[in-house]
Amino acid sequence: MKSPDVSINGIKLTDRDSAVAIVGSGADLIESEEDLPHTRFVSRSGAQELVLFAAFGAVEDEYSEVEVKAAGAEALVLRDLPIESFKSGRGVELGMSVAEVQALFGTCFKSKEKNGDELFFEYEITAADRDAELKDFGFPIYYAEYEFKKGKLTRFRFGFAYP
């Protein structure tokens, strides 16, 4: 994977100050048996949802993973951010084509599944704590997932896998 994503709309992964500047401080974390503690926001238009995940034991307001997806009806109660479209630091946003995403990161993905009009692929960098671009984050594994329906990006998630 070439030049992995490490930010979303100015929020840099594991950087408390950048997160506080964009989403504020003291966000209530939702506990889940299936996933990491997380907090959710919606775009200004209400069309997109941003989920920020905190590693267990992380400093308050420090997030190690991010997910963007189309907002469902339940997102109407979420706090909205003054952002029209959530966009990663590398330029990934919902609605992109498969070719556009692969042009950014390459075609050497870990897994790929295709089901009719749906496509899912995932990148992974093991030994991220020794990778020149990622070692300062201090996590051993970096991953990125992309889901497409009818050739358009409908969900993406990236960050540092909790060990």
Side-chain angles (χ1 to χ4, degrees):
M1 180 177 202
K2 46 185 187 179
S3 298
D5 246 326
V6 293
S7 67
I8 187 89
N9 289 88
I11 301 170
K12 185 176 179 186
L13 295 179
T14 74
D15 180 58
R16 180 186 187 283
D17 293 338
S18 66
V20 168
I22 304 299
V23 301
S25 63
D28 290 329
L29 292 178
I30 301 163
E31 299 289 334
S32 166
E33 289 185 21
E34 293 87 39
D35 217 329
L36 292 171
H38 57 279
T39 187
R40 300 167 57 202
F41 303 92
V42 71
S43 61
R44 178 183 4 207
S45 66
Q48 297 182 7
E49 183 178 339
L50 171 68
V51 185
L52 299 172
F53 297 89
F56 293 108
V59 173
E60 184 181 37
D61 303 318
E62 185 178 280
Y63 305 103
S64 59
E65 298 178 42
V66 63
E67 179 179 39
V68 174
K69 57 188 174 182
E74 76 282 355
L76 295 174
V77 298
L78 299 177
R79 188 177 126 218
D80 65 317
L81 297 175
I83 297 169
E84 194 60 38
S85 176
F86 297 117
K87 190 174 189 176
S88 77
R90 292 289 316 278
V92 175
E93 60 186 330
L94 297 182
M96 291 179 78
S97 70
V98 174
E100 289 172 319
V101 172
Q102 289 180 335
L104 290 173
F105 303 112
T107 56
C108 297
F109 30 81
K110 176 186 169 193
S111 66
K112 179 179 180 179
E113 297 174 28
K114 186 166 173 86
N115 236 350
D117 286 340
E118 297 182 13
L119 172 67
F120 170 86
F121 60 84
E122 174 182 37
Y123 294 95
E124 184 176 88
I125 298 174
T126 55
D129 49 353
R130 293 191 302 269
D131 181 272
E133 294 179 80
L134 302 174
K135 67 182 176 185
D136 291 341
F137 291 93
F139 282 81
I141 298 172
Y142 173 91
Y143 76 96
E145 303 173 344
Y146 303 93
E147 286 183 30
F148 300 85
K149 288 187 182 163
K150 297 184 179 181
K152 297 296 179 187
L153 187 61
T154 58
R155 184 190 81 85
F156 63 95
R157 181 171 171 168
F158 62 86
F160 298 98
Y162 183 74

